[in-house]
Amino acid sequence: MKRVYIVVEGPTEQEFVNSVVSPYLQDFGILNVTPILVRTSRTGRGGMVNYSHLSNTIRPLLISEKSDYIVTTFIDFFRIPHNMPKYDESMRKPSKIEQVESLENAINEDINDRRFFSYIQLHEFEALLFSSNKGFEYYFSDELSEETASIISSYDNPEDINTSPEGAPSKRLLAIKSDYNKVLEGNLIALTIGIKSILEKCPRFSKWIDTIIDMAK
């Protein structure tokens, strides 16, 4: 099996890859999965306000001519930089899924390496946490978990949760629990839910994982 490098925006996604994604991929013989924080400067890591941050992190990973590894991304569509390749063209697409797919294709064209494929999470990491109320019931109070249950019941697909900037999954969680800790609580909730529930409820995320498995063979 090939090695897998996953370029992520921040420590939340880094921990999610380490604690949730990597153990799942090990069941398919993929034993070497490494999250790589986006490089924002010579010494800075994490966050992405410019496409160059993403590109400058990906390209060095592909300098080698070896074919024993693949590189992918795990970045949020929510607040994605406006200078992404073909951003304006992509935003004219009629649906959010088409917009995201267009951006992914544009990144793939720009990087132009058969060992690489991009993935943009619709709309952000927190969407995955709404795959089940199990995690919220465990870590939130009964009153707060009733609010998350109401959101979950309103969407067949958690990846569709985002009706406005204030309606983004992370903003909804902060409105429910003002001291919500994205890195700690977010990943504990994801672990409690389990990746299988996430895969069942989130088709784009599931397709990304399947693609990693196929390309790593």
Side-chain angles (χ1 to χ4, degrees):
M1 283 290 187
K2 296 178 181 178
R3 292 172 288 138
V4 178
Y5 295 103
I6 302 178
V7 177
V8 299
E9 287 185 71
T12 302
E13 294 79 7
Q14 183 181 38
E15 179 59 28
F16 179 71
V17 169
N18 282 330
S19 62
V20 178
V21 174
S22 180
Y24 179 76
L25 293 177
Q26 287 179 14
D27 291 340
F28 295 86
I30 304 171
L31 304 180
N32 194 328
V33 179
T34 306
I36 305 291
L37 276 171
V38 166
R39 181 176 179 176
T40 55
S41 67
R42 183 170 295 180
T43 57
R45 297 289 187 278
M48 185 179 72
V49 297
N50 193 303
Y51 174 64
S52 65
H53 296 157
L54 183 64
S55 175
N56 291 341
T57 305
I58 294 168
R59 294 185 188 281
L61 296 172
L62 297 165
I63 288 178
S64 170
E65 296 182 358
K66 294 182 178 180
S67 60
D68 62 345
Y69 67 96
I70 64 171
V71 180
T72 185
T73 63
F74 181 46
I75 59 176
D76 293 343
F77 182 50
F78 182 57
R79 290 180 174 170
I80 200 164
H82 291 189
N83 68 339
M84 301 292 285
K86 298 184 179 178
Y87 178 84
D88 292 336
E89 177 184 325
S90 297
M91 291 305 101
R92 288 194 289 269
K93 302 291 183 181
S95 72
K96 296 298 183 184
I97 289 179
E98 289 176 285
Q99 291 171 12
V100 168
E101 290 177 345
S102 179
L103 286 172
E104 288 173 340
N105 290 334
I107 296 170
N108 292 343
E109 290 174 8
D110 183 62
I111 300 299
N112 190 28
D113 193 297
R114 58 186 175 79
R115 299 165 297 178
F116 171 81
F117 78 103
S118 64
Y119 173 69
I120 300 173
Q121 179 61 48
L122 184 66
H123 284 269
E124 58 179 343
F125 163 77
E126 271 79 8
L128 305 176
L129 305 183
F130 287 91
S131 297
S132 165
N133 207 43
K134 182 179 178 182
F136 297 122
E137 290 171 354
Y138 192 86
Y139 289 102
F140 286 13
S141 68
D142 291 345
E143 181 181 357
L144 298 185
S145 64
E146 286 178 5
E147 294 187 53
T148 56
S150 177
I151 296 172
I152 290 170
S153 66
S154 300
Y155 293 87
D156 291 331
N157 179 357
E159 293 173 317
D160 291 334
I161 299 175
N162 192 35
T163 53
S164 67
E166 295 74 26
S170 62
K171 298 299 183 182
R172 291 175 186 246
L173 287 177
L174 285 169
I176 292 171
K177 189 175 187 288
S178 59
D179 62 346
Y180 165 71
N181 185 304
K182 180 173 182 174
V183 179
L184 178 61
E185 290 181 287
N187 280 290
L188 288 173
I189 289 167
L191 281 167
T192 302
I193 295 169
I195 192 170
K196 290 185 179 179
S197 292
I198 296 173
L199 293 171
E200 288 172 2
K201 295 291 290 186
C202 302
R204 294 198 80 256
F205 178 80
S206 180
K207 182 179 178 182
W208 175 56
I209 294 295
D210 286 343
T211 304
I212 291 175
I213 294 170
D214 287 341
M215 287 187 65
K217 290 179 180 177

